[in-house]
Amino acid sequence: MAWSRPRFPYVQKRHRVGLLSLRLWVRHMLFWSGAVVVGLAATAFALSSDYAHTLFRSVVAASPWLPFLVTPLTLAGVAALTQRYFKGAEGSGIPQTIAAIRMSEGGNRDAVLSLRVAVGKMFLTCISLAGGASVGREGPTVQVGAALLYNLRWLVRFPRHLMERGLIVAGGGAGVAAAFNTPLAGIVFAIEEMARSFEERSSGTLVTAVIIAGLAAVYVQGNYTYFGATNSTLAGASGWFGVLLCGLAGGLLGGGFSRLLLAFSTHGLPGRAGTFVRTHPVKFAALCGLALALIGFASGSAVYGSGYVEAKRLIEGTGTVSAGYGIWKMLATFVSFVSGIPGGLFAPSLSAGAGIGQVVAGVLGQADAGALIVIGMAAYFAGVVQAPITAFVIVMEMTGNHDMVVPLMLSTLLATAVSRIVCPRPLYKALASNYLARVRPPA
């Protein structure tokens, strides 16, 4: 095998040349800087979203009737701005990012991941929260992170596999990590939900982006658990029975929610109602705002916003919600999403799941409801997105409770299995396919 020996010095020489390449180091520096920008953008987005929701809470505190005016006007205004200036910023942002990965036309990919859309996504989501919409910022942060890293290609040339896919996946995973302070969940989400496969050439890019973006966010906000910390554990056989109930309920309700959302996104409403939605999207958004105000009034003004405050209080045991909170939150999120405004499903789904877990704990007479509230969050979220690994990892990291790994895994796997019976098409993948069909109609 003497003929193979000269290859080793050649490989070593090529490695040394790579390490000394100015272009390579410029590329690395720009990429690392881009990951820092993703973390800072996610932090600014988080602080702005919190302030926007605080503004709306002051509106509700002034009068519970004000949302009947403020919410329809806000949703109509946001829908109008989206249609006129920020096409592609509507919805969660995750389906658009997945669609961008699948796009063969560079122009379509450039449009959906433009910096203009990213800025519009953050601005309009904050405005929506200031109007009481039941949306989250985490899904939009995925699109923002993907756009920020993807647009680095204008500054320096990256390898083709990174420009077409790797930067998008890394930016989306970095967005999740920075939004929730969950680096492991960012990596898992990028692999399980966005890529569905893990290319060896892109693995280092993904992990590096997640770590740097997460560190940038932590530097500004400090190290924290998104929903607060809990040390709650399951108590006895009834606790494990509660895991099964949460899994079943999360799968049925989450799958039902996704099926309704996909039915509306794919087919719309029948007859004249469907024609009205297509021809008058701004007026339809105003009607959705009115419906949201009615839901908010019926729920005691509990379902406005992302649901972060309600879920955090439930987990930490500092507050409770009504028995119907989970259902009301689902309805509010559905109405907000179909209105066509920008906004994500992560936080509202987790909050609805916390309400479901509280109900299960009450039915079983669990004195310490914290464990089943956490289980309910993961189960319902898994039922909606059908990504069980992401669901249990993200909830585990957000609550800092590593003792719940096994019950979290069990509940999310069960919820995903049940959800697939109710809704065979995974939500984000189906929404991405619908988006691709709109931007790339068949000949």
Side-chain angles (χ1 to χ4, degrees):
M1 301 296 292
W3 54 272
S4 64
R5 294 180 61 186
R7 296 178 62 189
F8 292 100
Y10 171 76
V11 172
Q12 292 172 355
K13 179 180 179 180
R14 192 175 175 186
H15 180 65
R16 286 196 301 269
V17 171
L19 290 177
L20 297 175
S21 170
L22 177 61
R23 178 182 296 179
L24 181 64
W25 278 104
V26 169
R27 183 193 303 163
H28 285 332
M29 293 299 293
L30 281 172
F31 178 76
W32 296 336
S33 300
V36 171
V37 172
V38 172
L40 296 178
T43 300
F45 196 7
L47 297 175
S48 301
S49 298
D50 292 343
Y51 180 71
H53 184 54
T54 300
L55 287 178
F56 183 78
R57 291 175 73 89
S58 66
V59 169
V60 176
S63 172
W65 296 99
L66 277 176
F68 284 93
L69 175 64
V70 173
T71 303
L73 289 176
T74 302
L75 265 61
V78 170
L81 289 171
T82 303
Q83 293 286 327
R84 179 66 177 85
Y85 299 105
F86 301 105
K87 198 70 175 175
E90 65 277 358
S92 163
I94 295 174
Q96 289 92 326
T97 306
I98 295 172
I101 296 172
R102 298 180 185 176
M103 288 174 179
S104 56
E105 287 289 333
N108 290 336
R109 191 186 303 119
D110 294 349
V112 75
L113 294 179
S114 69
L115 294 179
R116 178 179 181 177
V117 168
V119 171
K121 194 84 174 183
M122 292 191 291
F123 173 70
L124 294 177
T125 300
C126 291
I127 297 298
S128 300
L129 287 167
S134 179
V135 295
R137 59 175 169 80
E138 296 77 21
T141 306
V142 170
Q143 188 176 5
V144 171
L148 289 173
L149 287 195
Y150 178 69
N151 280 280
L152 290 177
R153 77 200 192 286
W154 297 114
L155 301 176
V156 66
R157 183 172 179 81
F158 285 88
R160 183 175 178 180
H161 71 279
L162 288 181
M163 288 195 293
E164 293 183 352
R165 186 175 185 179
L167 291 175
I168 302 173
V169 174
V176 170
F180 284 119
N181 187 31
T182 53
L184 180 58
I187 296 170
V188 172
F189 170 79
I191 298 170
E192 183 181 37
E193 191 57 38
M194 291 180 61
R196 293 286 178 176
S197 63
F198 198 39
E199 297 182 22
E200 183 179 355
R201 291 180 299 172
S202 302
S203 61
T205 302
L206 168 61
V207 174
T208 302
V210 167
I211 291 173
I212 294 177
L215 287 174
V218 168
Y219 178 79
V220 177
Q221 299 185 85
N223 197 14
Y224 66 99
T225 49
Y226 186 85
F227 280 117
T230 174
N231 295 318
S232 299
T233 55
L234 295 175
S238 64
W240 286 99
F241 184 59
V243 172
L244 298 179
L245 285 181
C246 285
L248 290 171
L252 287 171
L253 294 173
F257 175 87
S258 295
R259 182 156 190 152
L260 287 174
L261 206 58
L262 287 178
F264 185 91
S265 175
T266 305
H267 306 294
L269 295 175
R272 292 183 178 180
T275 303
F276 175 81
V277 172
R278 290 190 298 271
T279 57
H280 300 91
V282 176
K283 292 180 180 179
F284 177 69
L287 290 176
C288 288
L290 180 60
L292 179 58
L294 287 169
I295 295 169
F297 186 80
S299 66
S301 302
V303 297
Y304 296 118
S306 66
Y308 167 80
V309 173
E310 289 77 12
K312 183 178 176 68
R313 288 173 180 171
L314 285 174
I315 289 173
E316 295 183 337
T318 58
T320 59
V321 294
S322 67
Y325 173 78
I327 302 299
W328 288 122
K329 190 63 178 174
M330 289 170 55
L331 291 173
T333 304
F334 178 84
V335 169
S336 299
F337 196 87
V338 301
S339 69
I341 64 173
L345 297 172
F346 267 55
S349 296
L350 291 166
S351 184
I356 294 169
Q358 179 189 247
V359 171
V360 171
V363 169
L364 297 178
Q366 288 280 313
D368 183 4
L372 289 180
I373 288 171
V374 172
I375 295 294
M377 292 172 66
Y380 178 72
F381 182 70
V384 171
V385 302
Q386 296 183 11
I389 302 176
T390 297
F392 88 75
V393 170
I394 205 169
V395 171
M396 179 188 68
E397 283 194 287
M398 283 191 304
T399 59
N401 193 339
H402 298 273
D403 295 332
M404 295 287 288
V405 172
V406 174
L408 283 171
M409 290 175 64
L410 177 61
S411 66
T412 55
L413 289 171
L414 177 59
T416 301
V418 172
S419 176
R420 285 173 179 166
I421 297 173
V422 179
C423 181
R425 302 169 67 199
L427 178 62
Y428 288 138
K429 297 299 181 296
L431 290 175
S433 297
N434 291 346
Y435 185 81
L436 281 172
R438 290 195 297 271
V439 300
R440 189 180 55 195

